[in-house]
Amino acid sequence: MPVSKKASSADRRRFVLRKLHSLSGVVPLGVFVVVHLWTQAHGLWGQARYDAAVADRQAIPYLPLLEIGLVLVPLAFHGLFGLYLALQSRPNVSVYPFNRNWMYVAQRLSGVLGLAFIVWHVGQYWLPKYQGLIAPTEYYAALCADLSATHSGLPLIALAYVFGVAATVFHLANGLWGFCVSWGIVVTRSAQRISATAFGLAGLLLFFLGANTAIYFATGSRVAVFGVPVGSHETLARTCSDPPRPGSAQPAEPAR
């Protein structure tokens, strides 16, 4: 039976949207996630290094336009179209419990969780910055106060950051593998296995970087700080003397 022009046009649009969705997850969003995690990780070296890294980013010319055009607009497209794909998907792991089927389900779930985390994070810091409620020079103290806060004895915000970073990084790493496969960059089974291992290791490294940073802002402790001589960690002790922002819970005592 011949395919109608209308159906053919719809298929082409869907194909193009899927390709753009895949591409936007790598450039610019994937690049932004890596750069953002690295910028935040400067806090592991103390407030002076963190403030300098944030100041360098804020000094980029036309930063508001770049943030809107290269981050928020692609994020809105990638997130909304990703939600559409997630709602349209029909997982079949109960019938075919293969590894790639499980990874497909995990990719959709991590995308939803990661999007929720990023939207929440944007509402915490990006929007208040442009509303004049917080200055970039106050990010360090605000992160200390927010992530060290406890609710009924539980560091819920810090846990949300760790799980949010995990979901975002998994979605990025697994998505990079899917991008390389769908765009014909890796074709053979051997190349696909090698790339899956490489992206998996890169994802673990990114998660370690983000989780280490979150733990530091929550507790004052760090798993590791590369480039710091042994015995110098006390000179990088986290300081959180500024009062928490309005509405924040009382910060917990830093770990000794």
Side-chain angles (χ1 to χ4, degrees), residues 40 117 120-121 124-125 139-151 154-162 165 210-220 238 240 244-245 248-253:
Q40 298 306 304
F117 168 70
W120 174 56
H121 184 58
Q124 270 196 312
Y125 292 96
Y139 281 170
Y140 186 92
L143 284 166
C144 287
D146 288 344
L147 271 71
S148 64
T150 57
H151 300 266
L154 296 174
L156 297 181
I157 296 179
L159 289 174
Y161 266 75
V162 172
V165 168
N212 192 20
T213 304
I215 291 171
Y216 168 74
F217 279 115
T219 68
R238 188 200 66 171
C240 189
R245 291 183 293 168
S248 299
Q250 185 65 29
E253 284 294 322

Side-chain angles (χ1 to χ4, degrees), residues 2 5 62 64 94 113 240:
K5 290 184 178 180
Y62 306 107
S94 60
L113 295 177
C240 189

Side-chain angles (χ1 to χ4, degrees), residues 90-104:
R90 296 292 182 268
N92 58 357
V93 290
S94 60
V95 180
Y96 303 103
F98 302 121
N99 177 60
R100 290 318 309 175
N101 281 357
W102 281 109
M103 294 297 278
Y104 172 86

